[in-house]
Amino acid sequence: MEDKIYNLESNVMSYNLGFEGQNVYCELIRRLKECPLNQVTKVSIKKTPMGAGDEISFRIFFVENGKEKKFPWIQAKVTNPVTAEFLDDLQSRIPQTATWEDKRNSSATVDESGRNVYDLQYLPFGYAGAGLGRGLQIWIYLICLAVLVIPLIYYIYLLATGGYRIYTNDQGITIKKTGSTYFSWDELENVDFTRINVIDRQNYSQTEVLKAVFKGKGKKASVVMRYDHALPLLKELAAQDIISEEYLSQFS
């Protein structure tokens, strides 16, 4: 196979990973790690811990002189198609006996009533704090405004009632913020997802979230979701024939 170089970007840095001769390597200013492809024993992929939902982390394990060695954990944006291209190429080049371990969970959470649950972003002031988990976003405001009685009651209410989430079942979809908007699958006419790239100039980082607009029967609801929470919802919408597989492929 031909030599190839891939530039994989995370929210804070970028790596060069590539294939040279019979080897795979990783570079960040200098070459950090390199090994023969035929000595790769495992590739492990997972969500980036404490990440913003648009990144994955992966690691290459290999054997050298009878001992297990490993590449550093590489963080890469799943929203960048180069990430999938590199992983597909890597899988095609390593031995078939090597373990391909994908620990990402791309399915919805299921509540006690059997509904699928998808977290929304709580962003009362623009996109400040985008990419943080819903619970953390709400708790930050709850703690900061705890001295004010009305905001305190409001944030406790959101947490207690499951606000800023989407719930789906066989009949339809409920979009719950402070109040709720319900669409049966039959009356949901259009759903449009837009990528929003949020740049944090203070911390020299960026993250990507998705804005979704739901329309049907004179009703409309707009939400913002982390990428990892929106993807399983997109898959469910495709299964319900609300969006096409071609539309889904733009995000998966």
Side-chain angles (χ1 to χ4, degrees):
M1 291 186 178
E2 64 176 337
D3 293 352
K4 225 167 183 183
I5 299 175
Y6 296 86
N7 181 251
L8 272 63
E9 297 180 342
S10 72
N11 286 325
V12 295
M13 64 179 68
S14 64
Y15 301 85
N16 283 330
L17 285 97
F19 305 100
E20 190 175 77
Q22 298 302 311
N23 289 1
V24 57
Y25 65 86
C26 169
E27 290 180 341
L28 178 63
I29 303 176
R30 62 181 179 84
R31 191 159 291 193
L32 299 176
K33 214 74 174 177
E34 182 174 6
C35 77
L37 285 159
N38 62 8
Q39 292 182 10
V40 173
T41 58
K42 183 172 77 169
V43 176
S44 182
I45 308 169
K46 64 181 183 179
K47 284 186 180 181
T48 299
M50 299 300 292
D54 60 345
E55 289 182 331
I56 59 168
S57 297
F58 67 89
R59 194 174 214 177
I60 300 170
F61 297 77
F62 64 98
V63 173
E64 184 178 79
N65 298 324
K67 295 183 179 179
E68 184 181 73
K69 300 287 183 73
K70 41 189 116 162
F71 279 50
W73 282 105
I74 306 297
Q75 295 181 3
K77 291 176 70 71
V78 293
T79 52
N80 187 343
V82 176
T83 301
E85 290 171 14
F86 170 76
L87 290 173
D88 288 344
D89 199 359
L90 175 64
Q91 189 170 23
S92 70
R93 293 176 187 247
I94 62 176
Q96 292 185 352
T97 54
T99 302
W100 192 267
E101 183 180 63
D102 193 339
K103 296 180 178 179
R104 291 173 291 174
N105 180 11
S106 59
S107 59
T109 303
V110 180
D111 68 9
E112 295 177 354
S113 66
R115 298 179 300 176
N116 291 334
V117 182
Y118 306 91
D119 283 357
L120 303 179
Q121 292 278 273
Y122 180 72
L123 303 170
F125 302 109
Y127 287 94
L132 297 176
R134 160 197 168 272
L136 179 57
Q137 289 172 331
I138 295 174
W139 270 105
I140 287 173
Y141 286 102
L142 189 154
I143 292 169
C144 291
L145 300 174
V147 294
L148 304 175
V149 175
I150 294 177
L152 177 62
I153 294 172
Y154 170 70
Y155 289 118
I156 291 175
Y157 168 80
L158 285 184
L159 290 169
T161 60
Y164 278 82
R165 282 181 168 149
I166 285 178
Y167 301 87
T168 65
N169 57 23
D170 293 339
Q171 285 72 49
I173 180 169
T174 300
I175 299 157
K176 185 171 176 57
K177 294 183 179 179
T178 305
S180 297
T181 304
Y182 174 77
F183 299 91
S184 69
W185 293 123
D186 290 335
E187 67 183 6
L188 187 57
E189 297 166 354
N190 179 261
V191 183
D192 184 51
F193 283 79
T194 305
R195 298 175 188 267
I196 305 292
N197 192 36
V198 183
I199 299 175
D200 185 343
R201 301 188 187 280
Q202 184 176 355
N203 296 311
Y204 303 100
S205 66
Q206 59 181 341
T207 187
E208 189 169 299
V209 292
L210 292 178
K211 181 178 180 179
V213 179
F214 300 79
K215 296 179 182 178
K217 297 296 182 183
K219 294 179 288 185
K220 179 179 177 181
S222 177
V223 301
V224 178
M225 303 182 72
R226 276 173 43 140
Y227 199 90
D228 57 339
H229 297 153
L231 187 55
L233 175 61
L234 280 158
K235 292 178 179 177
E236 182 171 359
L237 292 171
Q240 294 288 347
D241 291 326
I242 306 298
I243 62 173
S244 66
E245 291 291 338
E246 182 180 1
Y247 187 86
L248 172 62
S249 68
Q250 298 177 36
F251 302 95
S252 59

